Each structure stands twice: as C-alpha cells, then as structure tokens.
mmCIF file of all heavy atoms in Angstrom:
data_model
loop_
_atom_site.group_PDB
_atom_site.id
_atom_site.type_symbol
_atom_site.label_atom_id
_atom_site.label_comp_id
_atom_site.label_asym_id
_atom_site.label_seq_id
_atom_site.Cartn_x
_atom_site.Cartn_y
_atom_site.Cartn_z
ATOM 1 N N LEU A 1 22.525 -27.473 0.497
ATOM 2 C CA LEU A 1 23.836 -28.141 0.474
ATOM 3 C C LEU A 1 23.789 -29.410 -0.383
ATOM 4 O O LEU A 1 24.721 -29.698 -1.125
ATOM 5 C CB LEU A 1 24.280 -28.485 1.895
ATOM 6 C CG LEU A 1 24.694 -27.311 2.755
ATOM 7 C CD1 LEU A 1 24.952 -27.772 4.187
ATOM 8 C CD2 LEU A 1 25.924 -26.633 2.194
ATOM 9 N N TYR A 2 22.698 -30.157 -0.278
ATOM 10 C CA TYR A 2 22.563 -31.379 -1.072
ATOM 11 C C TYR A 2 22.565 -31.056 -2.570
ATOM 12 O O TYR A 2 23.294 -31.674 -3.345
ATOM 13 C CB TYR A 2 21.278 -32.116 -0.680
ATOM 14 C CG TYR A 2 21.019 -33.328 -1.534
ATOM 15 C CD1 TYR A 2 21.700 -34.516 -1.312
ATOM 16 C CD2 TYR A 2 20.095 -33.281 -2.575
ATOM 17 C CE1 TYR A 2 21.468 -35.633 -2.102
ATOM 18 C CE2 TYR A 2 19.865 -34.395 -3.365
ATOM 19 C CZ TYR A 2 20.546 -35.565 -3.129
ATOM 20 O OH TYR A 2 20.323 -36.660 -3.918
ATOM 21 N N SER A 3 21.756 -30.085 -2.971
ATOM 22 C CA SER A 3 21.672 -29.730 -4.392
ATOM 23 C C SER A 3 23.007 -29.216 -4.920
ATOM 24 O O SER A 3 23.427 -29.569 -6.024
ATOM 25 C CB SER A 3 20.596 -28.664 -4.604
ATOM 26 O OG SER A 3 19.334 -29.187 -4.292
ATOM 27 N N THR A 4 23.668 -28.383 -4.133
ATOM 28 C CA THR A 4 24.968 -27.841 -4.543
ATOM 29 C C THR A 4 25.995 -28.956 -4.700
ATOM 30 O O THR A 4 26.745 -28.996 -5.679
ATOM 31 C CB THR A 4 25.460 -26.813 -3.510
ATOM 32 O OG1 THR A 4 24.488 -25.782 -3.393
ATOM 33 C CG2 THR A 4 26.791 -26.222 -3.913
ATOM 34 N N THR A 5 26.022 -29.878 -3.745
ATOM 35 C CA THR A 5 26.985 -30.973 -3.790
ATOM 36 C C THR A 5 26.718 -31.895 -4.970
ATOM 37 O O THR A 5 27.648 -32.304 -5.681
ATOM 38 C CB THR A 5 26.934 -31.770 -2.470
ATOM 39 O OG1 THR A 5 27.193 -30.876 -1.390
ATOM 40 C CG2 THR A 5 27.954 -32.876 -2.455
ATOM 41 N N VAL A 6 25.459 -32.215 -5.205
ATOM 42 C CA VAL A 6 25.107 -33.089 -6.332
ATOM 43 C C VAL A 6 25.515 -32.436 -7.649
ATOM 44 O O VAL A 6 26.120 -33.078 -8.515
ATOM 45 C CB VAL A 6 23.600 -33.418 -6.317
ATOM 46 C CG1 VAL A 6 23.149 -34.005 -7.641
ATOM 47 C CG2 VAL A 6 23.289 -34.381 -5.184
ATOM 48 N N GLN A 7 25.224 -31.168 -7.820
ATOM 49 C CA GLN A 7 25.560 -30.490 -9.069
ATOM 50 C C GLN A 7 27.064 -30.382 -9.263
ATOM 51 O O GLN A 7 27.547 -30.367 -10.398
ATOM 52 C CB GLN A 7 24.919 -29.107 -9.098
ATOM 53 C CG GLN A 7 23.420 -29.166 -9.237
ATOM 54 C CD GLN A 7 22.771 -27.806 -9.137
ATOM 55 O OE1 GLN A 7 23.436 -26.775 -9.198
ATOM 56 N NE2 GLN A 7 21.465 -27.793 -8.985
ATOM 57 N N HIS A 8 27.811 -30.304 -8.158
ATOM 58 C CA HIS A 8 29.267 -30.172 -8.263
ATOM 59 C C HIS A 8 29.939 -31.512 -8.574
ATOM 60 O O HIS A 8 30.878 -31.560 -9.355
ATOM 61 C CB HIS A 8 29.823 -29.599 -6.953
ATOM 62 C CG HIS A 8 31.291 -29.360 -6.974
ATOM 63 N ND1 HIS A 8 31.843 -28.273 -7.604
ATOM 64 C CD2 HIS A 8 32.325 -30.070 -6.462
ATOM 65 C CE1 HIS A 8 33.164 -28.317 -7.463
ATOM 66 N NE2 HIS A 8 33.472 -29.404 -6.769
ATOM 67 N N TRP A 9 29.465 -32.600 -7.953
ATOM 68 C CA TRP A 9 30.187 -33.855 -8.019
ATOM 69 C C TRP A 9 29.616 -34.897 -8.975
ATOM 70 O O TRP A 9 30.330 -35.796 -9.404
ATOM 71 C CB TRP A 9 30.281 -34.482 -6.624
ATOM 72 C CG TRP A 9 31.211 -33.723 -5.747
ATOM 73 C CD1 TRP A 9 30.859 -32.839 -4.771
ATOM 74 C CD2 TRP A 9 32.633 -33.729 -5.780
ATOM 75 N NE1 TRP A 9 31.982 -32.312 -4.199
ATOM 76 C CE2 TRP A 9 33.095 -32.836 -4.794
ATOM 77 C CE3 TRP A 9 33.565 -34.398 -6.556
ATOM 78 C CZ2 TRP A 9 34.433 -32.609 -4.568
ATOM 79 C CZ3 TRP A 9 34.904 -34.171 -6.318
ATOM 80 C CH2 TRP A 9 35.329 -33.286 -5.336
ATOM 81 N N VAL A 10 28.345 -34.850 -9.278
ATOM 82 C CA VAL A 10 27.742 -35.893 -10.111
ATOM 83 C C VAL A 10 27.837 -35.486 -11.584
ATOM 84 O O VAL A 10 27.443 -34.377 -11.953
ATOM 85 C CB VAL A 10 26.265 -36.120 -9.711
ATOM 86 C CG1 VAL A 10 25.604 -37.135 -10.623
ATOM 87 C CG2 VAL A 10 26.183 -36.578 -8.269
ATOM 88 N N PRO A 11 28.338 -36.365 -12.420
ATOM 89 C CA PRO A 11 28.419 -36.050 -13.851
ATOM 90 C C PRO A 11 27.015 -35.774 -14.416
ATOM 91 O O PRO A 11 26.042 -36.428 -14.020
ATOM 92 C CB PRO A 11 29.013 -37.306 -14.480
ATOM 93 C CG PRO A 11 29.696 -38.023 -13.364
ATOM 94 C CD PRO A 11 28.931 -37.679 -12.127
ATOM 95 N N PRO A 12 26.913 -34.827 -15.345
ATOM 96 C CA PRO A 12 25.596 -34.441 -15.881
ATOM 97 C C PRO A 12 24.790 -35.615 -16.432
ATOM 98 O O PRO A 12 23.573 -35.655 -16.277
ATOM 99 C CB PRO A 12 25.935 -33.448 -16.985
ATOM 100 C CG PRO A 12 27.267 -32.898 -16.621
ATOM 101 C CD PRO A 12 27.987 -34.009 -15.918
ATOM 102 N N GLU A 13 25.456 -36.595 -17.034
ATOM 103 C CA GLU A 13 24.710 -37.710 -17.620
ATOM 104 C C GLU A 13 24.111 -38.645 -16.557
ATOM 105 O O GLU A 13 23.281 -39.492 -16.875
ATOM 106 C CB GLU A 13 25.592 -38.506 -18.588
ATOM 107 C CG GLU A 13 26.787 -39.169 -17.954
ATOM 108 C CD GLU A 13 28.035 -38.283 -17.883
ATOM 109 O OE1 GLU A 13 27.952 -37.077 -18.158
ATOM 110 O OE2 GLU A 13 29.098 -38.821 -17.539
ATOM 111 N N LEU A 14 24.514 -38.494 -15.300
ATOM 112 C CA LEU A 14 23.974 -39.333 -14.232
ATOM 113 C C LEU A 14 23.002 -38.598 -13.319
ATOM 114 O O LEU A 14 22.425 -39.204 -12.407
ATOM 115 C CB LEU A 14 25.118 -39.909 -13.390
ATOM 116 C CG LEU A 14 26.074 -40.853 -14.117
ATOM 117 C CD1 LEU A 14 27.184 -41.314 -13.191
ATOM 118 C CD2 LEU A 14 25.316 -42.038 -14.682
ATOM 119 N N LEU A 15 22.793 -37.314 -13.539
ATOM 120 C CA LEU A 15 21.905 -36.543 -12.667
ATOM 121 C C LEU A 15 20.475 -37.075 -12.688
ATOM 122 O O LEU A 15 19.811 -37.132 -11.645
ATOM 123 C CB LEU A 15 21.920 -35.062 -13.059
ATOM 124 C CG LEU A 15 23.147 -34.271 -12.631
ATOM 125 C CD1 LEU A 15 23.106 -32.870 -13.217
ATOM 126 C CD2 LEU A 15 23.261 -34.217 -11.132
ATOM 127 N N GLY A 16 19.978 -37.469 -13.841
ATOM 128 C CA GLY A 16 18.624 -38.002 -13.940
ATOM 129 C C GLY A 16 18.451 -39.282 -13.146
ATOM 130 O O GLY A 16 17.450 -39.470 -12.448
ATOM 131 N N ARG A 17 19.430 -40.161 -13.221
ATOM 132 C CA ARG A 17 19.367 -41.429 -12.490
ATOM 133 C C ARG A 17 19.395 -41.174 -10.982
ATOM 134 O O ARG A 17 18.618 -41.775 -10.228
ATOM 135 C CB ARG A 17 20.541 -42.315 -12.894
ATOM 136 C CG ARG A 17 20.453 -43.703 -12.306
ATOM 137 C CD ARG A 17 21.488 -44.625 -12.878
ATOM 138 N NE ARG A 17 21.283 -44.737 -14.327
ATOM 139 C CZ ARG A 17 22.193 -45.171 -15.171
ATOM 140 N NH1 ARG A 17 23.367 -45.533 -14.737
ATOM 141 N NH2 ARG A 17 21.949 -45.243 -16.451
ATOM 142 N N LEU A 18 20.259 -40.276 -10.552
ATOM 143 C CA LEU A 18 20.326 -39.949 -9.128
ATOM 144 C C LEU A 18 19.012 -39.327 -8.649
ATOM 145 O O LEU A 18 18.504 -39.663 -7.578
ATOM 146 C CB LEU A 18 21.492 -39.006 -8.847
ATOM 147 C CG LEU A 18 21.663 -38.635 -7.382
ATOM 148 C CD1 LEU A 18 22.130 -39.835 -6.585
ATOM 149 C CD2 LEU A 18 22.625 -37.482 -7.239
ATOM 150 N N SER A 19 18.453 -38.447 -9.445
ATOM 151 C CA SER A 19 17.175 -37.831 -9.088
ATOM 152 C C SER A 19 16.069 -38.874 -9.006
ATOM 153 O O SER A 19 15.183 -38.780 -8.151
ATOM 154 C CB SER A 19 16.800 -36.758 -10.109
ATOM 155 O OG SER A 19 17.736 -35.716 -10.091
ATOM 156 N N ALA A 20 16.108 -39.872 -9.874
ATOM 157 C CA ALA A 20 15.100 -40.926 -9.850
ATOM 158 C C ALA A 20 15.180 -41.731 -8.554
ATOM 159 O O ALA A 20 14.151 -42.053 -7.947
ATOM 160 C CB ALA A 20 15.277 -41.847 -11.056
ATOM 161 N N PHE A 21 16.385 -42.056 -8.117
ATOM 162 C CA PHE A 21 16.532 -42.775 -6.850
ATOM 163 C C PHE A 21 16.002 -41.938 -5.696
ATOM 164 O O PHE A 21 15.350 -42.451 -4.783
ATOM 165 C CB PHE A 21 17.992 -43.156 -6.594
ATOM 166 C CG PHE A 21 18.432 -44.374 -7.336
ATOM 167 C CD1 PHE A 21 19.391 -44.282 -8.328
ATOM 168 C CD2 PHE A 21 17.889 -45.621 -7.041
ATOM 169 C CE1 PHE A 21 19.805 -45.412 -9.019
ATOM 170 C CE2 PHE A 21 18.295 -46.754 -7.720
ATOM 171 C CZ PHE A 21 19.257 -46.643 -8.717
ATOM 172 N N GLY A 22 16.291 -40.640 -5.705
ATOM 173 C CA GLY A 22 15.768 -39.755 -4.667
ATOM 174 C C GLY A 22 14.260 -39.686 -4.676
ATOM 175 O O GLY A 22 13.612 -39.680 -3.625
ATOM 176 N N ALA A 23 13.682 -39.658 -5.857
ATOM 177 C CA ALA A 23 12.221 -39.604 -5.968
ATOM 178 C C ALA A 23 11.584 -40.890 -5.453
ATOM 179 O O ALA A 23 10.550 -40.849 -4.777
ATOM 180 C CB ALA A 23 11.811 -39.352 -7.418
ATOM 181 N N VAL A 24 12.188 -42.033 -5.744
ATOM 182 C CA VAL A 24 11.657 -43.298 -5.236
ATOM 183 C C VAL A 24 11.685 -43.294 -3.714
ATOM 184 O O VAL A 24 10.722 -43.691 -3.051
ATOM 185 C CB VAL A 24 12.443 -44.502 -5.801
ATOM 186 C CG1 VAL A 24 12.120 -45.788 -5.046
ATOM 187 C CG2 VAL A 24 12.146 -44.666 -7.272
ATOM 188 N N GLY A 25 12.774 -42.817 -3.151
ATOM 189 C CA GLY A 25 12.866 -42.743 -1.691
ATOM 190 C C GLY A 25 11.832 -41.816 -1.091
ATOM 191 O O GLY A 25 11.213 -42.124 -0.064
ATOM 192 N N SER A 26 11.607 -40.702 -1.733
ATOM 193 C CA SER A 26 10.671 -39.717 -1.195
ATOM 194 C C SER A 26 9.223 -40.105 -1.395
ATOM 195 O O SER A 26 8.400 -39.976 -0.482
ATOM 196 C CB SER A 26 10.911 -38.362 -1.859
ATOM 197 O OG SER A 26 12.190 -37.883 -1.563
ATOM 198 N N PHE A 27 8.889 -40.551 -2.591
ATOM 199 C CA PHE A 27 7.491 -40.747 -2.937
ATOM 200 C C PHE A 27 6.995 -42.182 -2.789
ATOM 201 O O PHE A 27 5.791 -42.418 -2.768
ATOM 202 C CB PHE A 27 7.224 -40.255 -4.356
ATOM 203 C CG PHE A 27 7.485 -38.787 -4.507
ATOM 204 C CD1 PHE A 27 8.478 -38.327 -5.347
ATOM 205 C CD2 PHE A 27 6.740 -37.862 -3.796
ATOM 206 C CE1 PHE A 27 8.724 -36.968 -5.479
ATOM 207 C CE2 PHE A 27 6.984 -36.505 -3.918
ATOM 208 C CZ PHE A 27 7.976 -36.056 -4.765
ATOM 209 N N ALA A 28 7.884 -43.139 -2.705
ATOM 210 C CA ALA A 28 7.448 -44.530 -2.571
ATOM 211 C C ALA A 28 7.694 -45.052 -1.155
ATOM 212 O O ALA A 28 6.811 -45.628 -0.538
ATOM 213 C CB ALA A 28 8.163 -45.410 -3.585
ATOM 214 N N VAL A 29 8.893 -44.839 -0.642
ATOM 215 C CA VAL A 29 9.234 -45.372 0.674
ATOM 216 C C VAL A 29 8.811 -44.407 1.789
ATOM 217 O O VAL A 29 8.384 -44.845 2.859
ATOM 218 C CB VAL A 29 10.748 -45.668 0.751
ATOM 219 C CG1 VAL A 29 11.128 -46.230 2.096
ATOM 220 C CG2 VAL A 29 11.143 -46.636 -0.352
ATOM 221 N N GLY A 30 8.890 -43.108 1.538
ATOM 222 C CA GLY A 30 8.525 -42.111 2.550
ATOM 223 C C GLY A 30 7.133 -42.285 3.118
ATOM 224 O O GLY A 30 6.950 -42.251 4.350
ATOM 225 N N PRO A 31 6.123 -42.489 2.290
ATOM 226 C CA PRO A 31 4.770 -42.685 2.835
ATOM 227 C C PRO A 31 4.645 -43.913 3.742
ATOM 228 O O PRO A 31 3.811 -43.928 4.648
ATOM 229 C CB PRO A 31 3.911 -42.842 1.580
ATOM 230 C CG PRO A 31 4.639 -42.060 0.537
ATOM 231 C CD PRO A 31 6.095 -42.306 0.837
ATOM 232 N N LEU A 32 5.471 -44.927 3.521
ATOM 233 C CA LEU A 32 5.436 -46.084 4.419
ATOM 234 C C LEU A 32 5.867 -45.685 5.829
ATOM 235 O O LEU A 32 5.273 -46.123 6.821
ATOM 236 C CB LEU A 32 6.331 -47.200 3.884
ATOM 237 C CG LEU A 32 5.946 -47.782 2.526
ATOM 238 C CD1 LEU A 32 6.979 -48.810 2.067
ATOM 239 C CD2 LEU A 32 4.568 -48.398 2.591
ATOM 240 N N GLY A 33 6.894 -44.846 5.906
ATOM 241 C CA GLY A 33 7.329 -44.343 7.205
ATOM 242 C C GLY A 33 6.274 -43.466 7.858
ATOM 243 O O GLY A 33 6.046 -43.544 9.070
ATOM 244 N N LEU A 34 5.622 -42.633 7.046
ATOM 245 C CA LEU A 34 4.557 -41.790 7.590
ATOM 246 C C LEU A 34 3.388 -42.637 8.076
ATOM 247 O O LEU A 34 2.765 -42.334 9.104
ATOM 248 C CB LEU A 34 4.093 -40.789 6.540
ATOM 249 C CG LEU A 34 5.119 -39.726 6.152
ATOM 250 C CD1 LEU A 34 4.606 -38.894 4.982
ATOM 251 C CD2 LEU A 34 5.458 -38.848 7.336
ATOM 252 N N ALA A 35 3.064 -43.703 7.350
ATOM 253 C CA ALA A 35 1.978 -44.588 7.760
ATOM 254 C C ALA A 35 2.316 -45.306 9.066
ATOM 255 O O ALA A 35 1.437 -45.567 9.890
ATOM 256 C CB ALA A 35 1.675 -45.599 6.661
ATOM 257 N N ALA A 36 3.564 -45.616 9.273
ATOM 258 C CA ALA A 36 3.984 -46.292 10.502
ATOM 259 C C ALA A 36 4.085 -45.327 11.676
ATOM 260 O O ALA A 36 3.953 -45.736 12.832
ATOM 261 C CB ALA A 36 5.331 -46.974 10.278
ATOM 262 N N ALA A 37 4.294 -44.040 11.407
ATOM 263 C CA ALA A 37 4.499 -43.065 12.483
ATOM 264 C C ALA A 37 3.277 -42.933 13.377
ATOM 265 O O ALA A 37 3.407 -42.798 14.601
ATOM 266 C CB ALA A 37 4.872 -41.705 11.892
ATOM 267 N N GLY A 38 2.083 -42.978 12.802
ATOM 268 C CA GLY A 38 0.875 -42.840 13.601
ATOM 269 C C GLY A 38 0.713 -43.947 14.631
ATOM 270 O O GLY A 38 0.599 -43.663 15.835
ATOM 271 N N PRO A 39 0.689 -45.201 14.199
ATOM 272 C CA PRO A 39 0.551 -46.289 15.177
ATOM 273 C C PRO A 39 1.704 -46.338 16.190
ATOM 274 O O PRO A 39 1.485 -46.625 17.371
ATOM 275 C CB PRO A 39 0.542 -47.555 14.312
ATOM 276 C CG PRO A 39 0.103 -47.098 12.964
ATOM 277 C CD PRO A 39 0.607 -45.688 12.826
ATOM 278 N N LEU A 40 2.926 -46.054 15.725
ATOM 279 C CA LEU A 40 4.053 -46.060 16.659
ATOM 280 C C LEU A 40 3.921 -44.950 17.686
ATOM 281 O O LEU A 40 4.224 -45.132 18.871
ATOM 282 C CB LEU A 40 5.375 -45.936 15.894
ATOM 283 C CG LEU A 40 5.779 -47.163 15.083
ATOM 284 C CD1 LEU A 40 7.009 -46.866 14.227
ATOM 285 C CD2 LEU A 40 6.037 -48.352 15.996
ATOM 286 N N SER A 41 3.454 -43.765 17.250
ATOM 287 C CA SER A 41 3.244 -42.657 18.181
ATOM 288 C C SER A 41 2.138 -42.973 19.170
ATOM 289 O O SER A 41 2.216 -42.586 20.339
ATOM 290 C CB SER A 41 2.906 -41.371 17.425
ATOM 291 O OG SER A 41 4.014 -40.930 16.690
ATOM 292 N N ALA A 42 1.102 -43.650 18.715
ATOM 293 C CA ALA A 42 0.017 -44.024 19.618
ATOM 294 C C ALA A 42 0.505 -45.002 20.687
ATOM 295 O O ALA A 42 0.081 -44.938 21.835
ATOM 296 C CB ALA A 42 -1.135 -44.638 18.825
ATOM 297 N N ARG A 43 1.399 -45.878 20.292
ATOM 298 C CA ARG A 43 1.888 -46.880 21.239
ATOM 299 C C ARG A 43 2.995 -46.359 22.146
ATOM 300 O O ARG A 43 3.008 -46.628 23.342
ATOM 301 C CB ARG A 43 2.378 -48.103 20.478
ATOM 302 C CG ARG A 43 2.885 -49.167 21.410
ATOM 303 C CD ARG A 43 3.144 -50.463 20.723
ATOM 304 N NE ARG A 43 3.666 -51.395 21.693
ATOM 305 C CZ ARG A 43 3.187 -52.585 21.888
ATOM 306 N NH1 ARG A 43 2.165 -52.999 21.172
ATOM 307 N NH2 ARG A 43 3.713 -53.381 22.770
ATOM 308 N N TYR A 44 3.970 -45.621 21.570
ATOM 309 C CA TYR A 44 5.151 -45.203 22.327
ATOM 310 C C TYR A 44 5.178 -43.716 22.656
ATOM 311 O O TYR A 44 6.085 -43.254 23.337
ATOM 312 C CB TYR A 44 6.429 -45.576 21.559
ATOM 313 C CG TYR A 44 6.539 -47.048 21.304
ATOM 314 C CD1 TYR A 44 6.370 -47.562 20.030
ATOM 315 C CD2 TYR A 44 6.790 -47.940 22.342
ATOM 316 C CE1 TYR A 44 6.462 -48.920 19.785
ATOM 317 C CE2 TYR A 44 6.884 -49.305 22.113
ATOM 318 C CZ TYR A 44 6.719 -49.787 20.825
ATOM 319 O OH TYR A 44 6.811 -51.125 20.599
ATOM 320 N N GLY A 45 4.252 -42.945 22.113
ATOM 321 C CA GLY A 45 4.224 -41.511 22.349
ATOM 322 C C GLY A 45 5.009 -40.773 21.270
ATOM 323 O O GLY A 45 5.986 -41.304 20.715
ATOM 324 N N THR A 46 4.566 -39.563 20.995
ATOM 325 C CA THR A 46 5.223 -38.764 19.958
ATOM 326 C C THR A 46 6.675 -38.484 20.307
ATOM 327 O O THR A 46 7.562 -38.566 19.454
ATOM 328 C CB THR A 46 4.468 -37.437 19.762
ATOM 329 O OG1 THR A 46 3.102 -37.736 19.470
ATOM 330 C CG2 THR A 46 5.053 -36.618 18.644
ATOM 331 N N GLY A 47 6.911 -38.150 21.565
ATOM 332 C CA GLY A 47 8.285 -37.858 21.988
ATOM 333 C C GLY A 47 9.211 -39.030 21.788
ATOM 334 O O GLY A 47 10.354 -38.858 21.349
#
C-alpha cells in the first residue's frame, strides 16, 4: 500500500528525495531503536 500510494501521489522528480528520507529512517534511526529494545526488554519485559 505504501509503494502504491507513493507512486500514485508523489511527483516523479521527488521520488528519490522521498526514498532517501525513508532510507535514513530505516538504516540510521532504526538501529537505535533496535539497540534500545534489548535493555528495555530486560528491564520491563518483552511483553
């Protein structure tokens, strides 16, 4: 649904910029959340 919506609504000249923001979120900020998940799970439980 995300890919379909982006291709339908985002102008072609902006697709690269939008993809770059998504990549930063996934590959730069995402690992910070994963790194925090372990200690938080140890303290508060996985559930």
Side-chain angles (χ1 to χ4, degrees):
L1 288 173
Y2 175 78
S3 295
T4 302
T5 303
V6 165
Q7 290 175 13
H8 183 78
W9 289 102
V10 176
E13 63 272 10
L14 296 178
L15 284 174
R17 187 171 299 162
L18 181 69
S19 296
F21 280 114
V24 167
S26 297
F27 298 116
V29 180
L32 298 176
L34 293 173
L40 289 173
S41 292
R43 180 170 178 128
Y44 301 108
T46 304

